[in-house]
Amino acid sequence: MADWQKITGGITAPRGYQAAGITAGLKPSGLPDLALIFSEVEAIAAGVFTTSQVKAACVEYCRQRLQAKHSARAILCNAGQANAATGSQGYLDTLESAMAVGQALNIPSESVLVASTGVIGQRIKMDALRNGIPKVVAALSETGSDAAAGAIITTDLVTKSIALETTISDRPVRIGGIAKGSGMIHPNMATMLAFVTCDAVVSPALWQQMLARAADKSFNSITVDGDTSTNDSLIALANGQSRTPAITEWGAEAEKLEAMLTAVCQHLAKAIARDGEGATCLIEVEVTGAHDEISARQIAKTIAGSSLVKSAIFGRDPNWGRIAAAAGRSGVPFEQENLQIKLGNFLMLENGQPLTFDRAAASAYLKKATAGAYLQEDTVLISVNVGNGHGVGKAWGCDLSYDYVRINAEYTT
């Protein structure tokens, strides 16, 4: 059993946070497009960002801010324009955005982090943003998480939010999070943004380490289409308002906090994969028997990202050969005579030898996932064993449907 429980409230569930989401006129659709997350006190800040050589202005800005100062009080996110590949003016727009939020909140602009999402090559509509910032500040609320979650999405079909609570030193500690992402998802930290709030007291170095490890086990283990975005950002704040003793070194309390942080990130990551453009189900791949965890995750992510595997799942075709082929090209060495493949409860390959299985029943298992409850019974499980090693890893993806091509063929038209 997990040492925490799910609660309501999203990013405003932890103590000392407010959030808001409004329509500022950034999106042509007229839907909400400007979000703000605010900590009532200075919070320890950590971030993990895209490794793409083409980075959005907000990514460069946040990296510089977090290198100079390991704390923040606010995160501003605009949706509609990615402000990536926009040159020096794009960076100036990001600076102005932070300064405007700082002035409106009466805090230093250095305490404001910025994220953007939308079409690459388009600058932020600064007139709309300037007019929107006072409004989003005025809308800040301790119950504003849902509004913020709705204002950061683009092609997403659903918002993504979660909050968990545990006990540390006999006091409740909470972590909340929201995320967006549906296409261009293949993070190496797709268009993917995630914001996490926490009310624990934790040292900057430890918080950054926790976040990086949590990212590897969650956002860096999902794929929709194999494309990494220019704007990938995972930002986490910890403001200490739980009034628990400071966690400054590794131990039982740090382990508990990181486990809950990882659970929050994994929930959001799976929600992104399930919401993949045109997707009809979530795919979860678990690999065991690898030399180490990194190797296991690499095999799992290769299988989850295989266009042939994804297409077979969409076609409800239990074609395990595509799974074997993807595992074999993952770049991780293993002996093929040790390979085992299961689809749900159907064992298809054992010790490298094909087995007879009920193909109609296996196909029915795939069909059932498309009708299952969201993030509960809508998951296709692929289990792969490659040997006797201790490495275990998971990755998540989605099937590849006709609609993915339609959505992305018409993205800017």
Side-chain angles (χ1 to χ4, degrees):
M1 292 292 291
D3 196 16
W4 52 76
Q5 60 181 349
K6 186 177 290 188
I7 58 174
T8 60
I11 52 171
T12 53
R15 291 167 181 80
Y17 291 98
Q18 299 177 42
I22 67 164
T23 299
L26 298 165
K27 289 179 180 176
S29 65
L31 294 172
D33 49 24
L34 189 63
L36 182 63
I37 303 167
F38 177 61
S39 173
E40 296 169 2
V41 299
E42 195 77 6
I44 298 302
V48 183
F49 303 96
T50 183
T51 58
S52 173
Q53 294 301 303
V54 180
K55 301 175 182 66
C58 57
V59 170
E60 297 285 9
Y61 167 83
C62 286
R63 278 181 163 163
Q64 292 178 20
R65 281 285 179 262
L66 292 177
Q67 287 174 359
K69 179 182 179 182
H70 303 300
S71 64
R73 288 192 64 182
I75 304 170
L76 178 73
C77 179
N78 71 277
Q81 300 85 45
N83 199 24
T86 50
S88 58
Q89 187 57 53
Y91 190 80
L92 293 175
D93 291 343
T94 296
L95 288 178
E96 182 182 343
S97 301
M99 291 179 64
V101 172
Q103 291 172 359
L105 290 170
N106 196 28
I107 62 175
S109 62
E110 291 80 7
S111 292
V112 180
L113 300 175
V114 179
S116 301
T117 182
V119 179
I120 294 171
Q122 293 187 4
R123 287 175 50 200
I124 302 170
K125 295 179 180 178
M126 292 305 294
D127 287 342
L129 187 79
R130 294 184 192 102
N131 292 330
I133 285 175
K135 297 176 183 177
V136 76
V137 169
L140 283 170
S141 164
E142 292 180 353
T143 59
S145 180
D146 288 347
I152 66 174
I153 62 175
T154 50
T155 60
D156 308 52
L157 296 179
V158 296
T159 58
K160 301 155 183 76
S161 176
I162 189 175
L164 301 178
E165 179 182 275
T166 191
T167 301
I168 294 178
S169 298
D170 298 321
R171 293 186 64 86
V173 170
R174 298 170 177 174
I175 299 180
I178 62 173
K180 67 86 52 180
S182 184
M184 200 179 284
I185 303 293
H186 193 76
N188 284 306
M189 348 137 348
T191 308
M192 189 219 82
L193 301 177
F195 308 117
V196 174
T197 57
C198 176
D199 53 18
V201 185
V202 58
S203 70
L206 198 56
W207 189 232
Q208 179 65 52
Q209 292 166 11
M210 288 180 178
L211 189 66
R213 287 192 291 262
D216 279 341
K217 295 178 181 179
S218 57
F219 298 109
N220 284 344
S221 294
I222 61 172
T223 181
V224 168
D225 46 24
D227 279 299
T228 297
S229 168
T230 55
N231 292 55
D232 290 343
S233 298
L234 166 61
I235 300 172
L237 305 180
N239 68 5
Q241 292 302 286
S242 64
R243 306 300 183 188
T244 51
I247 300 174
T248 59
E249 59 185 22
W250 189 251
E253 293 182 344
E255 184 176 355
K256 180 186 287 190
L257 186 66
E258 181 174 330
M260 189 164 72
L261 174 64
T262 301
V264 165
C265 290
Q266 285 183 340
H267 175 89
L268 296 173
K270 287 192 284 185
I272 289 173
R274 174 61 184 90
D275 196 28
E277 290 166 342
T280 67
C281 64
L282 178 71
I283 300 172
E284 179 176 296
V285 182
E286 182 178 49
V287 173
T288 58
H291 176 69
D292 52 31
E293 183 179 340
I294 295 175
S295 299
R297 283 206 304 268
Q298 178 62 31
I299 297 172
K301 193 171 180 180
T302 303
I303 295 169
S306 165
S307 294
L308 289 176
V309 172
K310 291 154 64 69
S311 298
I313 299 299
F314 175 68
R316 321 309 172 206
D317 179 11
N319 187 347
W320 61 263
R322 293 180 175 183
I323 299 170
R329 67 171 174 83
S330 66
V332 176
F334 62 86
E335 299 297 330
Q336 65 175 337
E337 59 264 26
N338 293 329
L339 188 61
Q340 178 194 80
I341 296 175
K342 290 177 65 178
L343 179 66
N345 292 323
F346 297 92
L347 183 61
M348 300 173 165
L349 186 75
E350 177 77 15
N351 296 322
Q353 298 295 315
L355 301 177
T356 301
F357 65 93
D358 188 336
R359 297 188 65 85
S363 180
Y365 165 74
L366 296 175
K367 293 176 183 177
K368 184 178 178 181
T370 65
Y374 179 69
L375 289 182
Q376 295 179 44
E377 299 165 343
D378 58 349
T379 304
V380 171
L381 300 176
I382 297 174
S383 304
V384 175
N385 183 274
V386 296
N388 299 315
H390 299 293
V392 177
K394 288 185 178 181
W396 297 272
C398 61
D399 57 343
L400 181 60
S401 74
Y402 312 127
D403 280 344
Y404 177 84
V405 175
R406 179 188 58 78
I407 292 167
N408 284 281
E410 303 168 358
Y411 191 71
T412 64
T413 57

